[in-house]
Amino acid sequence: MAEEKEVKTFKELGLRDELVEACENVGWKTPSKIQAEAIPHALEGKDLIGLAQTGSGKTGAFALPILQALLEIAENQRTVPAFFACVLSPTRELAIQISEQFEALGSGISLRCAVLVGGVDMMQQTLALGKRPHIVVATPGRLMDHLTNTKGFSLGTLKYLVLDEADRLLNDDFEKSLDEILNVIPRMRQTYLFSATMTKKVKKLQRACLKNPVKIEAASKYSTVDTLKQQYRFVPAKYKDCYLVYILTEVSASSTMVFTRTCDATRLLALMLRNLGQRAIPISGHMSQSKRLGALNKFKAGECNILICTDVASRGLDIPSVDMVINYDIPTNSKDYIHRVGRTARAGRTGVAISLVNQYELEWYLQIEKLIGMLYILFSIEATRMKVSI
């Protein structure tokens, strides 16, 4: 097998000058591994299954080929078709982030995007659809609501379908909506499936109507990035709050995401930490969409340096300044760990992940170790006086 040539520029991938310039404008100097491997196949018109570590540039890997196709059509037909591509996301925040990425890359070509997610007034979204956007980014349930109830809206002209965080979208939570969407969109299209973790759901992948897809693995099946320092502390359940406060006090200037299992826990922990003088804010599925976005924006802006969250914030969100992730509760699904710790050490930066493991969660943690094939540095109960360094 011939040795693959290392791609050093976006121009070498076959992208047009307008998109190369757009990449430079958003600060992308060279293609990431997933971009370098996926974009040439996508430009050839092939369906893709892309597996890459979180924070590795998956959005660019599917957005750039779609924008190139739009540019070529606009050049030949002098008009850019509406509802050209649809991107499905499992969470509202990720959908909004994907739309922002499309708009940044397509700013030079007057790209129009519409975001269809729950928790937002449907009439506002209907007005956005009335402007005939080129790209629709949506959660499956809300997209199906509009396909059913919004007069004049259809995806009959759709040329590209993207399932981001595909393993989650292929779960039972979204099965009904996804089936309905696949039944009403054109079969003649390009389909891209991207995720940091991919499960072997062959029947469900076939149902997504992929045609001889190219599978790209820019990472081992389940892995975390090399620049991430991973540790755990084995602590009694009743003292877990004390350990959390101790760690956060030691790194008080750091930007930290704390993951819990329940929505109630996010609120209680945030209240506790605020009363102790910490700048903490919760985000969970029980909050309205405006409050969720408000919390996220305060965290991104540095007004609050501790975000207490459920797994609603574990998928795909790109918050460059996160120094540390703390698993206050160990996830029962081992793959969720990979998504959680992927909020730090993104795009080549370093980061720390600390998991607080109590006596009831040890089995779940051993499953995580087995999944990603490594053992962590153990900080036991006796190590309480040890400084946390990041």
Side-chain angles (χ1 to χ4, degrees):
M1 186 176 177
E3 186 178 341
E4 293 184 15
K5 180 186 175 184
E6 184 182 353
V7 177
K8 296 181 180 178
T9 67
F10 284 99
K11 182 72 173 175
E12 290 178 58
L13 296 178
L15 292 174
R16 294 168 60 109
D17 292 338
E18 300 98 314
L19 293 178
V20 173
E21 184 179 344
C23 291
E24 291 174 357
N25 291 339
V26 298
W28 296 355
K29 305 297 183 187
T30 56
S32 66
K33 187 175 181 184
I34 186 66
Q35 290 167 352
E37 294 189 22
I39 289 173
H41 291 297
L43 294 178
E44 291 173 5
K46 295 177 180 176
D47 288 358
L48 301 177
I49 298 175
L51 177 63
Q53 293 159 328
T54 186
S56 60
K58 294 192 296 293
T59 304
F62 61 74
L64 289 168
I66 291 171
L67 292 172
Q68 175 124 326
L70 270 173
L71 276 168
E72 290 173 352
I73 289 174
E75 190 176 71
N76 294 330
Q77 300 181 4
R78 298 188 181 279
T79 57
V80 182
F83 308 120
F84 185 71
C86 177
V87 183
L88 294 179
S89 156
T91 69
R92 302 169 186 179
E93 287 75 20
L94 180 55
I96 293 166
Q97 181 178 289
I98 292 168
S99 174
E100 291 171 348
Q101 194 90 77
F102 264 103
E103 287 175 345
L105 291 170
S107 59
I109 58 171
S110 302
L111 184 78
R112 295 190 302 276
C113 282
V115 181
L116 309 180
V117 297
V120 179
D121 181 41
M122 279 191 69
M123 185 53 68
Q124 291 179 18
Q125 295 174 351
T126 300
L127 293 173
L129 290 173
K131 296 177 182 177
R132 301 186 61 76
H134 310 116
I135 312 292
V136 174
V137 188
T139 50
R142 181 50 64 96
L143 177 61
M144 204 58 226
D145 287 344
H146 279 286
L147 287 170
T148 304
N149 302 312
T150 301
K151 188 175 180 181
F153 171 55
S154 80
L155 293 176
T157 59
L158 191 76
K159 300 299 181 187
Y160 289 84
L161 174 68
V162 181
L163 275 62
D164 196 19
E165 302 296 346
D167 61 326
R168 174 86 181 275
L169 287 171
L170 292 168
N171 282 347
D172 295 341
D173 298 351
F174 300 99
E175 186 170 14
K176 185 174 183 293
S177 297
L178 194 58
D179 277 341
E180 292 171 344
I181 292 166
L182 292 170
N183 284 333
V184 297
I185 62 175
R187 291 186 174 276
M188 295 299 293
R189 63 173 192 270
Q190 275 186 253
T191 306
Y192 303 151
L193 278 67
F194 281 89
S195 185
T197 55
M198 187 71 73
T199 52
K200 292 183 178 178
K201 297 180 178 176
V202 179
K203 289 183 180 178
K204 292 188 177 181
L205 291 176
Q206 288 175 343
R207 190 184 64 220
C209 303
L210 276 79
K211 302 180 295 293
N212 299 318
V214 176
K215 188 172 182 181
I216 297 158
E217 293 191 39
S220 57
K221 190 166 185 181
Y222 303 111
S223 65
T224 53
V225 294
D226 296 334
T227 53
L228 176 67
K229 297 177 184 177
Q230 298 176 77
Q231 307 167 357
Y232 75 88
R233 282 147 174 74
F234 188 56
V235 302
K238 64 180 179 178
Y239 296 134
K240 193 185 276 191
D241 289 351
C242 300
Y243 276 80
L244 176 65
V245 172
Y246 171 78
I247 293 169
L248 291 173
T249 303
E250 287 292 306
V251 292
S252 57
S254 299
S255 175
T256 304
M257 294 179 73
V258 180
F259 282 95
T260 69
R261 196 170 298 123
T262 67
C263 297
D264 287 341
T266 63
R267 185 173 55 84
L268 291 171
L269 283 178
L271 286 171
M272 178 191 73
L273 291 169
R274 279 184 202 155
N275 285 330
L276 293 171
Q278 300 274 11
R279 292 178 295 131
I281 192 165
I283 181 171
S284 72
H286 284 178
M287 296 166 62
S288 67
Q289 186 59 31
S290 60
K291 287 185 177 179
R292 282 162 62 168
L293 287 176
L296 205 55
N297 289 334
K298 282 184 178 180
F299 183 64
K300 286 182 177 181
E303 292 178 40
C304 298
N305 70 319
I306 301 169
L307 186 68
I308 315 291
C309 45
T310 58
D311 281 315
V312 74
S314 70
R315 292 272 179 164
L317 294 185
D318 186 17
I319 308 170
S321 59
V322 177
D323 301 311
M324 178 184 289
V325 167
I326 298 176
N327 287 301
Y328 177 81
D329 292 321
I330 302 304
T332 54
N333 185 334
S334 302
K335 286 177 293 182
D336 288 338
Y337 173 87
I338 296 171
H339 292 282
R340 287 183 180 186
V341 301
R343 298 313 98 215
T344 186
R346 297 177 71 81
R349 290 179 289 267
T350 59
V352 173
I354 298 176
S355 298
L356 302 180
V357 187
N358 65 35
Q359 63 269 37
Y360 309 114
E361 298 173 325
L362 185 57
E363 183 60 37
W364 292 333
Y365 204 78
L366 293 174
Q367 289 173 5
I368 292 169
E369 286 187 332
K370 183 178 179 182
L371 179 76
I372 65 177
M374 68 181 292
L375 297 174
Y376 300 109
I377 303 169
L378 171 62
F379 285 78
S380 65
I381 299 168
E382 290 75 22
T384 54
R385 289 192 292 271
M386 187 170 291
K387 296 269 185 183
V388 180
S389 59
I390 63 173

